[in-house]
Amino acid sequence: MRLWTVQPIDVWTRLHDEGFIYVDPFRINPEGWIHPQKEWLACQLRERIADSSGHLPWFAYCERPDLRWIRHSRPKGSQEVLIEFEPPDDALIAFPCWAWDDVFCGQYLTFTRTDSITWKRRLKDATGISFEGRDGELPEPWSSELEASWHRLFLPDLPPQSWRRKRETVVDFKKKREAVVEVLRAQWVRQVQTFIGTWKFRKP
């Protein structure tokens, strides 16, 4: 499958020089903190990708992104690169963007609004806890049920669009697919395009 990943220019420099690279957690956060859902996904890669060691994943688009809008999401003046690459099918996992968004935000991952409402109502009736207003982890068995729902991320019949989003936009991220790989290899690279970020952070 042909994939595209947007990275700082130093990622391409390291990949070109070293031949293959893994995600370096301290380049993401010098203090070492990693979002727990990304750590969960890394554990899933270990079970689902051959020869995986459980490294943090590289994220990629399953369609070539339009740099006219991508550049606005990168820091102004930063040197960025779009890497087009083609890994073997057994080296990647692909899923709808909306499904990963739900997992990343700790939502109960389900196909329908009805299933989501039913599960949250069962939680409230049994524990008195409102899912949206919860503070900390859920008690068992609800914590396990929540995590079990995230495994639906890997089902092949997930719908392309979330029930949470009905209205299409010009750039409708929620209808697209993305993929993850554990390692980037120089031999997979097909094309590289550099660009400059334009997003300027404004303090409130």
Side-chain angles (χ1 to χ4, degrees), residues 101-152:
D101 286 350
D102 274 11
V103 172
F104 185 78
C105 294
Q107 294 291 329
Y108 182 77
L109 180 56
T110 182
F111 293 14
T112 68
R113 180 185 300 272
T114 299
D115 286 347
S116 176
I117 291 175
T118 298
W119 186 81
K120 291 176 182 178
R121 183 177 295 138
R122 287 177 48 230
L123 168 68
K124 182 70 178 292
D125 291 345
T127 66
I129 297 174
S130 171
F131 184 75
E132 279 73 18
R134 70 191 186 280
D135 183 18
E137 293 187 5
L138 296 174
E140 292 294 353
W142 307 99
S143 179
S144 294
E145 287 188 17
L146 176 61
E147 183 171 347
S149 78
W150 300 337
H151 289 264
R152 294 172 181 155

Side-chain angles (χ1 to χ4, degrees), residues 37-204:
Q37 300 304 83
K38 288 189 175 181
E39 292 184 327
W40 175 86
L41 184 56
C43 291
Q44 296 304 308
L45 298 189
R46 191 167 190 169
E47 298 178 8
R48 300 170 189 274
I49 291 182
D51 301 323
S52 170
S53 301
H55 290 86
L56 292 171
W58 296 101
F59 282 80
Y61 299 94
C62 294
E63 298 178 13
R64 190 183 192 281
D66 188 340
L67 294 184
R68 289 176 297 180
W69 58 262
I70 283 288
R71 63 193 179 92
H72 295 304
S73 67
R74 315 300 285 190
K76 184 176 182 179
S78 63
Q79 292 187 304
E80 309 289 335
V81 63
L82 175 66
I83 302 174
E84 180 179 342
F85 65 108
E86 192 168 2
D89 289 344
D90 62 358
L92 66 92
I93 296 174
F95 37 71
C97 293
W98 72 263
W100 168 246
D101 286 350
D102 274 11
V103 172
F104 185 78
C105 294
Q107 294 291 329
Y108 182 77
L109 180 56
T110 182
F111 293 14
T112 68
R113 180 185 300 272
T114 299
D115 286 347
S116 176
I117 291 175
T118 298
W119 186 81
K120 291 176 182 178
R121 183 177 295 138
R122 287 177 48 230
L123 168 68
K124 182 70 178 292
D125 291 345
T127 66
I129 297 174
S130 171
F131 184 75
E132 279 73 18
R134 70 191 186 280
D135 183 18
E137 293 187 5
L138 296 174
E140 292 294 353
W142 307 99
S143 179
S144 294
E145 287 188 17
L146 176 61
E147 183 171 347
S149 78
W150 300 337
H151 289 264
R152 294 172 181 155
L153 179 69
F154 310 107
L155 295 178
D157 57 346
L158 272 175
Q161 183 174 2
S162 171
W163 56 265
R164 299 178 188 276
R165 190 181 182 91
K166 299 300 183 183
R167 183 175 62 85
E168 292 189 17
T169 60
V170 175
V171 182
D172 197 346
F173 303 101
K174 303 302 180 182
K175 294 181 67 176
K176 296 185 179 295
R177 291 179 65 82
E178 58 188 326
V180 289
V181 296
E182 184 184 36
V183 61
L184 287 177
R185 298 189 181 278
Q187 67 196 60
W188 297 345
V189 175
R190 299 293 176 261
Q191 187 174 350
V192 176
Q193 181 177 353
T194 58
F195 66 98
I196 303 297
T198 61
W199 178 67
K200 184 177 180 181
F201 175 75
R202 295 177 181 174
K203 295 183 179 180

